[in-house]
Structure formats: structure tokens, C-alpha cells
Amino acid sequence: MASVLSHARYGKDKVRVFRIVRDGDWHEVVEYTVCALLEGQIETSYTKADNSVVVATDSIKNTTYILAKTSPHILSPALFALHLGLHFVNKYNHISKSIITIEQLKWTRIPVGPNAEPHKHSFVRDGDEKRIIKVEVDATAGKDKVKGSVVGGLKDLLVLKSSGSAFENFLRDEYTTLIEVSDRIFSTAVDYDYNFILPDEHLTIEGLKKLGEISRFEQVAASARQITLDTFATDESASVQATLFKMAQQIIAENPTVGSITYRLPNKHYIPVNLSFFNGLENITPPEKAEVFTPVDAPSGYISATISRQ
């Protein structure tokens, strides 16, 4: 049976980078995990065992470290990813597309002293959340017609509210055992990504600073996170779905460079413990008064939706 290579890409994954940017004794730090993949005229490396078209993945790793040292955009994961992607399509004539994904770990300045002033060079990992950037640099239309796409996001932002969440009036049939509740624990590991609306023009390394000013990559990241937390905390939630929609609506309304946003919100369930066997100790009825719970990992609800700009 005949077969054909219909698509190919390759590169280097899990390139871990930590960078210090010093301004006197005031330091900025970033920690990234980078995945850099390439596409182009590389089919003969698969079909003819021709390695002459292969930019070695070790070279891709080295390039990542070199640009981490030399790029003026290292503190912005979106701009750094674009810089890295543009380097590959500009450097190698046979490479027409690069796909760069960056996962940024959280480092926050340690507040010190009676006024809790941010320390100049000391940081704490105060959460497992990770900022995500996915960039595609596309030169398939020509090296003078390079286009880009940028997706930003966040994952593993664990949140919980012990009140202000209900789940009632859902469909009931012969398969339903869930009890309606007017007040419950609402917890989830927030995972979202949003697509940027970029200017329809040739993408260049020299134009990255201006692109950052127009697209507001850093401001959107901060805005999306804060809106998510504010809405989660203050919304009298009728359901995860309803709260999700309010978050997304506000992000799009307040950030004109965002075209759409997708949320993925897995439920983190907390099940009230039945203590009635112990001298009638009540912890189940009414469910709104439960105080002792068992955290349950699985099975869990999973709610997702994409909200787009009209």
C-alpha cells in the first residue's frame, strides 16, 4: 500500500531557562520552559534519511540560550517567543514556520520590613500557576510576508470559595442522585487561553517593541488573571458555566486586542462527611451547613467554553 508524508515538524522540548536582568542592585528574574518546533522543506530527512536539511535540536536549544542572553525582550514571554520564532525562519531558508511554546513559572518578590517593601533581589514561588504563551511564526507566503499568531494564557491557578456558589434547578431524571444545594464549595484549577488580534502586516524582529505596545501582551495577562480572580470571588455563582461566561465577557470587553478566550474549569469536589454514626453528629443536612469535607480528585466535573468577540 502506497503512503506519503503529509506533515512533519520537529524541534527541542523542555528547554529550561532562568534569566536574571540586573539594573544595579534591582533584579528582575524569569524562569521559562521552552518548546521550539520547526517546519519547512524537511521531508527528505524522513523519506530519504537526508540529515542535511536538519537543524539539529541541540542547535535549537543553544539558540534558545543565546537569545535568552541577548534578546531585549526576555522579560516578555510573548515577545521573546516571537523573537525566537523569527530567528529560525530568518536564519534558515528552508524553514518556513516555527512554533514556540513558553511556560513561565511564578516568582514574586518577597515583601520585607514593617512596610512589606518588595525586596530588590529575593523572590518566592507563591503558587503553582503557570503563564503560557504559544506563538506561530509563518513564512510560508515568503520571507518578506511573515505573519504571526500569539495565544496567551494561564493554567494551574487553584482557587476555592467556601460560599457564594449554588447548583439548583438542573435536569432531573431516573439517573439523577445529586442533591440541589443553594450554597456550596466552589473550587477549580483555572486553565484558560486567549487569542490576540495582531496587526495584519509583515512581522519583523525590529518591529517587536512596537507590536508589544500595540498588542499589550503583558497588560492583557495581568488583566485576564485579575478579572478571573475578582469574578470568581464576588460572583454569586449559579453554576460554573455562568461564572465562566461572566469572566470571559469582561476580559473581552476590557481588552480590545483579545479576539477570543477559552476556559477549562475542572471541578475540585469536596464531599461532606457523614458523621451521623457518631452520636448523631450532623454534618450532612442541610448541605449548606456542612463543615467537614473529604477532598475528592476523581471523578470530577469538567466545564469548558470559548467566548469570541463579535
Side-chain angles (χ1 to χ4, degrees):
M1 182 179 292
S3 59
V4 63
L5 180 70
S6 54
H7 181 259
R9 67 172 52 160
Y10 78 101
K12 201 72 163 181
D13 195 10
K14 296 181 175 63
V15 182
R16 299 193 63 185
V17 178
F18 185 87
R19 174 71 151 91
I20 302 172
V21 177
R22 296 180 175 89
D23 183 9
D25 58 359
W26 183 266
H27 295 177
E28 303 280 356
V29 300
V30 288
E31 184 170 350
Y32 298 150
T33 300
V34 181
C35 175
L37 303 177
L38 307 180
E39 295 182 12
Q41 297 174 17
I42 57 175
E43 60 275 5
T44 57
S45 66
Y46 294 84
T47 61
K48 305 292 185 182
D50 175 16
N51 290 336
S52 67
V53 297
V54 176
V55 180
T57 65
D58 190 65
S59 302
I60 296 172
K61 176 205 69 178
N62 292 340
T63 302
T64 303
Y65 287 132
I66 291 167
L67 285 184
K69 173 69 173 178
T70 61
S71 174
H73 309 296
I74 185 61
L75 295 178
S76 167
L79 292 178
F80 178 66
L82 287 167
H83 191 171
L84 187 58
L86 280 164
H87 168 86
F88 289 123
V89 300
N90 290 341
K91 174 71 174 177
Y92 304 105
N93 290 332
H94 67 293
I95 298 300
S96 57
K97 186 181 291 186
S98 58
I99 304 92
I100 312 296
T101 302
I102 292 180
E103 181 179 282
Q104 181 179 4
L105 300 182
K106 187 180 183 186
W107 287 109
T108 303
R109 292 186 187 279
I110 297 176
V112 295
N115 297 322
E117 296 288 339
H119 196 270
K120 293 178 288 187
H121 56 253
S122 296
F123 304 83
V124 61
R125 172 76 51 76
D126 59 344
D128 293 329
E129 67 187 86
K130 302 168 186 68
R131 184 176 169 192
I132 305 298
I133 289 290
K134 302 175 184 177
V135 160
E136 187 170 296
V137 177
D138 188 351
T140 54
K143 300 290 185 172
D144 59 345
K145 299 175 183 178
V146 178
K147 298 294 183 181
S149 65
V150 178
V151 175
L154 197 69
K155 71 175 185 179
D156 299 332
L157 177 62
L158 185 61
V159 294
L160 180 149
K161 60 195 295 184
S162 56
S163 185
S165 174
F167 192 52
E168 302 172 295
N169 303 316
F170 50 87
L171 188 151
R172 305 193 72 89
D173 59 20
E174 65 271 27
Y175 303 106
T176 306
T177 58
L178 186 66
I179 298 172
E180 294 190 3
V181 61
S182 62
D183 197 31
R184 62 173 182 167
I185 293 174
F186 177 7
S187 181
T188 184
V190 178
D191 180 350
Y192 60 74
D193 54 58
Y194 42 83
N195 292 284
F196 281 95
I197 303 169
L198 300 185
D200 186 18
E201 57 188 38
H202 176 50
L203 187 64
T204 66
I205 293 174
E206 294 74 21
L208 288 180
K209 181 180 178 180
K210 179 181 177 182
L211 179 62
E213 295 168 354
I214 294 171
S215 299
R216 304 177 72 250
F217 298 123
E218 300 308 302
Q219 294 91 330
V220 170
S223 171
R225 183 182 186 277
Q226 193 60 52
I227 289 170
T228 298
L229 292 176
D230 286 351
T231 306
F232 175 83
T234 62
D235 182 43
E236 288 296 324
S237 177
S239 66
V240 179
Q241 288 89 332
T243 300
L244 180 160
F245 189 67
K246 291 177 183 179
M247 294 172 177
Q249 275 191 311
Q250 188 175 349
I251 288 171
I252 287 178
E254 296 188 14
N255 295 279
T257 58
V258 172
S260 66
I261 180 166
T262 298
Y263 274 95
R264 292 163 290 273
L265 301 179
N267 275 332
K268 300 291 184 180
H269 293 298
Y270 291 79
I271 308 301
V273 178
N274 187 351
L275 299 175
S276 62
F277 303 104
F278 306 99
N279 297 322
L281 189 60
E282 185 54 64
N283 191 60
I284 297 292
T285 306
E288 292 83 358
K289 298 298 183 180
E291 295 177 322
V292 179
F293 301 83
T294 299
V296 177
D297 290 331
S300 66
Y302 186 88
I303 291 84
S304 180
T306 299
I307 292 81
S308 300
R309 186 178 300 278
Q310 286 187 324

